Amino acid sequence: MKKSQKSLLIKIIVVQCLLVLCVAAQDFDFFYFVQQWPASYCDTRRSCCYPTTGKPDEDFSIHGLWPNYENGKWPQNCDKESSLDESEFSDLISTMEKNWPSLACPSSDGLKFWSHEWLKHGTCSALNQHAYFQTALDFKTKSNLLQNLNNAGIKPRNGEHYSVESIKNAIEEGVGHTPFIE
């Protein structure tokens, strides 16, 4: 695959909203759930480091769960007094290491990345830390992008080239929401 075509799958944003969450949080209208293909992410950066837990699986990984407004803007850093408390989501850490790895250099265990996501986006979600991270993990399981692409005959590793439209259609068919591909 050409580099420009690889980088097409850097981030796939699936707009998803759990009715209960969106109704409970009057400060935003919906979530952007952002996933990325790690190899493409690494191809587009000057450097990329695998997490200290090892090379990520060949699957989409979570980049973030971002509250957004319908007007195209988004809330951020809603509680500047908040800090990440690992004990709040300790039961999720092994799953997060697998599904929400940091690819930033130097290599890390993910806590710095998760802290950034929590402070910038999670504090605006109307969720506590455990619920915020669990919701993102649940969205990943529910969306299962790799399986949806495979079901449509789109296989990232077989060297074939696919149109953006066919990728969008496969994801929309699988998750029931139109993705934005960057």
Side-chain angles (χ1 to χ4, degrees):
M1 225 186 278
K2 295 178 185 172
K3 187 172 182 175
S4 63
Q5 290 171 322
K6 279 185 181 178
S7 64
L8 180 62
L9 288 178
I10 294 171
K11 293 180 187 168
I12 294 187
I13 299 174
V14 179
V15 179
Q16 295 182 324
C17 177
L18 294 176
L19 184 57
V20 173
L21 293 177
C22 289
V23 169
Q26 297 299 313
D27 293 340
F28 67 97
D29 299 315
F30 63 92
F31 283 114
Y32 275 134
F33 176 58
V34 183
Q35 295 184 71
Q36 62 195 6
W37 186 256
S40 293
Y41 175 89
C42 292
D43 281 350
T44 62
R45 303 284 182 224
R46 282 186 236 184
S47 63
C48 175
C49 294
Y50 294 139
T52 55
T53 55
K55 182 179 178 181
D57 291 341
E58 289 194 13
D59 192 1
F60 289 91
S61 64
I62 298 170
H63 184 80
L65 179 63
W66 306 340
N68 276 260
Y69 301 121
E70 288 181 9
N71 67 7
K73 296 182 182 184
W74 57 90
Q76 61 183 0
N77 303 311
C78 294
D79 182 358
K80 295 184 187 328
E81 301 298 314
S82 183
S83 62
L84 190 70
D85 182 352
E86 189 177 346
S87 70
E88 293 291 320
F89 58 95
S90 60
D91 61 312
L92 303 176
I93 290 178
S94 63
T95 306
M96 290 173 64
E97 288 172 342
K98 178 179 172 30
N99 294 291
W100 200 334
S102 171
L103 299 171
C105 293
S107 294
S108 73
D109 60 4
L111 284 172
K112 184 177 178 182
F113 180 41
W114 303 330
S115 179
H116 164 78
E117 290 298 307
W118 167 252
L119 294 173
K120 185 171 183 179
H121 305 290
T123 58
C124 302
S125 70
L127 300 170
N128 64 39
Q129 289 180 28
H130 191 277
Y132 174 75
F133 293 118
Q134 183 67 63
T135 298
L137 292 167
D138 291 346
F139 277 163
K140 182 177 187 307
T141 299
K142 183 179 177 185
S143 64
N144 199 347
L145 296 181
L146 193 57
Q147 183 63 52
N148 290 319
L149 293 171
N150 279 323
N151 289 347
I154 298 171
K155 300 180 186 342
R157 292 179 21 184
N158 72 0
E160 295 290 320
H161 299 279
Y162 305 98
S163 71
V164 174
E165 196 61 34
S166 66
I167 293 168
K168 284 175 113 172
N169 289 341
I171 293 169
E172 185 170 5
E173 177 75 24
V175 301
H177 300 281
T178 304
F180 171 80
I181 298 177
E182 180 183 292

